[in-house]
Amino acid sequence: MIQLQHLTKRYGAAVAVEDLSLEVGAGELLVLLGESGCGKTTTVKMINRLIDPTAGRVLVEGVEVDSIEPHALRRRIGYVFQKIGLFPHMTVPENVGITLTLLGWDQARITRRVDALLHLVELDPAVMRARWPAELSGGQQQRVGVARALAAEPRVMLLDEPFGALDPLTRGRLQESFARIRRDLRLTAVFVTHDIAEALLAVMVPLLAALSLPSIGLLPAFIALTLYGVLPVLRNTVTGLAGVDPALREAARGVGMTPWQQLRRVELPLAMPVMVAGLRTSTVWVVGMATLSTPVGAPSLGNYIFSGLQTRNFAAVLVGCFAAAGLALVLDGLVHAAEAAST
């Protein structure tokens, strides 16, 4: 769907992108992850000809972009970026439908399409119809920007740090929404970010697609929490084993133990208190982090917290917080009881 062949961009003696070649297949999501100034945005802008390369070629759907008029090319490619760029003198529907107006659609068709797009990005057309960009929250503005990018039914979408300026809660909801839209519309997308969490979108989407599972929801949350919870257990296991007295290891070898017998009969029992401490820490951490799985569509006690924050229902927030804390204490107590029973 998208091919970059030996792409280079220079500004005088400064090299922004050098000899970059890659290919993004139909329906795939490519994330360009890196620090500021490494050429991510320049690369994306060379795809839709906002920037012309010094050397190399860009092909979209097998056609070299240099052979297409820049304005015609950009109407075929959705583009969302951090500053959003909503026109302040246009209403929300006018912003969303601007590309359709440029394409010559009649007003009735534009209105139907705009209403469908606003529903797609979870905005109420009846509420948004008379709104101006200045009257929207940051998250609402970004949703309108996504709707505008999707207006002409593009098969390719470019996103240049679209959620970077938003607060973590809003960013999480929009990441979930984008993943759903991309999956439902089978979009090919290039996503620029310096946020590793956002980069996981590109890791999880093909993995879960191969398993015929939804790209956002319970499974990615479970995988993330498992990886997160393993860290303190692994750290304490290494620390506990390293803390075994060398004299005891020598004694074990001296009485004729094999390495496996030494590990099972001496080192693991002596390291067990430190290892269990890591398990208890992990348990509490995972319960706390599990509340943050709500933004990626996984059910959790965070549902109460997030919905309470959104509706200013602080009773629901307290219920979620106390329930999560209580669950963490109960599980910690069970692990401690199991430790005590085994000694």
Side-chain angles (χ1 to χ4, degrees), residues 236-273:
N236 278 39
T237 299
V238 172
T239 301
L241 292 174
V244 174
D245 190 338
L248 298 178
R249 288 197 176 94
E250 185 176 347
R253 292 195 299 272
V255 299
M257 289 188 188
T258 65
W260 167 244
Q261 290 171 331
Q262 177 180 319
L263 175 66
R264 184 169 61 88
R265 293 178 176 272
V266 177
E267 294 175 345
L268 284 177
L270 292 174
M272 191 59 65

Side-chain angles (χ1 to χ4, degrees), residues 191-213:
F191 193 111
V192 170
T193 185
H194 58 264
D195 184 343
I196 293 177
E198 284 188 333
L200 287 174
L201 285 170
V203 177
M204 289 299 182
V205 167
L207 168 64
L208 299 174
L211 297 174
S212 300
L213 292 169

Side-chain angles (χ1 to χ4, degrees), residues 36-56:
S36 297
C38 71
K40 306 184 302 295
T41 294
T42 301
T43 298
V44 163
K45 289 184 176 181
M46 285 191 285
I47 296 175
N48 66 357
R49 294 193 64 187
L50 286 172
I51 294 176
D52 288 323
T54 305

Side-chain angles (χ1 to χ4, degrees), residues 86-284:
L86 298 183
F87 302 115
H89 61 296
M90 295 183 184
T91 63
V92 167
E94 289 171 339
N95 267 282
V96 174
I98 183 62
T99 302
L100 306 179
T101 301
L102 296 173
L103 289 171
W105 287 28
D106 64 76
Q107 189 55 51
R109 187 183 177 194
I110 290 174
T111 299
R112 290 194 300 270
R113 177 64 176 161
V114 167
D115 285 354
L117 288 165
L118 291 174
H119 278 301
L120 184 66
V121 297
E122 301 172 8
L123 293 174
D124 186 348
V127 174
M128 293 291 129
R129 197 159 285 132
R131 292 279 185 91
W132 301 86
E135 298 173 328
L136 305 180
S137 68
Q140 289 174 325
Q141 289 182 11
Q142 199 59 272
R143 289 180 187 273
V144 172
V146 171
R148 182 175 65 184
L150 294 169
E153 300 181 330
R155 297 181 62 195
V156 173
M157 198 161 181
L158 309 176
L159 302 100
D160 186 5
E161 300 199 42
F163 312 136
L166 302 174
D167 65 87
L169 297 182
T170 303
R171 186 186 312 135
R173 291 195 298 271
L174 284 175
Q175 288 167 350
E176 175 190 354
S177 181
F178 164 69
R180 173 184 55 80
I181 290 169
R182 199 198 70 81
R183 181 182 68 244
D184 291 347
L185 301 183
R186 300 183 182 276
L187 292 170
T188 302
V190 178
F191 193 111
V192 170
T193 185
H194 58 264
D195 184 343
I196 293 177
E198 284 188 333
L200 287 174
L201 285 170
V203 177
M204 289 299 182
V205 167
L207 168 64
L208 299 174
L211 297 174
S212 300
L213 292 169
S215 59
I216 293 292
L218 182 60
L219 183 57
F222 176 78
I223 293 171
L225 288 171
T226 300
L227 294 174
Y228 187 77
V230 162
L231 294 177
V233 176
L234 182 61
R235 181 197 61 194
N236 278 39
T237 299
V238 172
T239 301
L241 292 174
V244 174
D245 190 338
L248 298 178
R249 288 197 176 94
E250 185 176 347
R253 292 195 299 272
V255 299
M257 289 188 188
T258 65
W260 167 244
Q261 290 171 331
Q262 177 180 319
L263 175 66
R264 184 169 61 88
R265 293 178 176 272
V266 177
E267 294 175 345
L268 284 177
L270 292 174
M272 191 59 65
V274 179
M275 293 165 60
V276 171
L279 180 60
R280 293 176 66 180
T281 300
S282 173
T283 301
V284 174

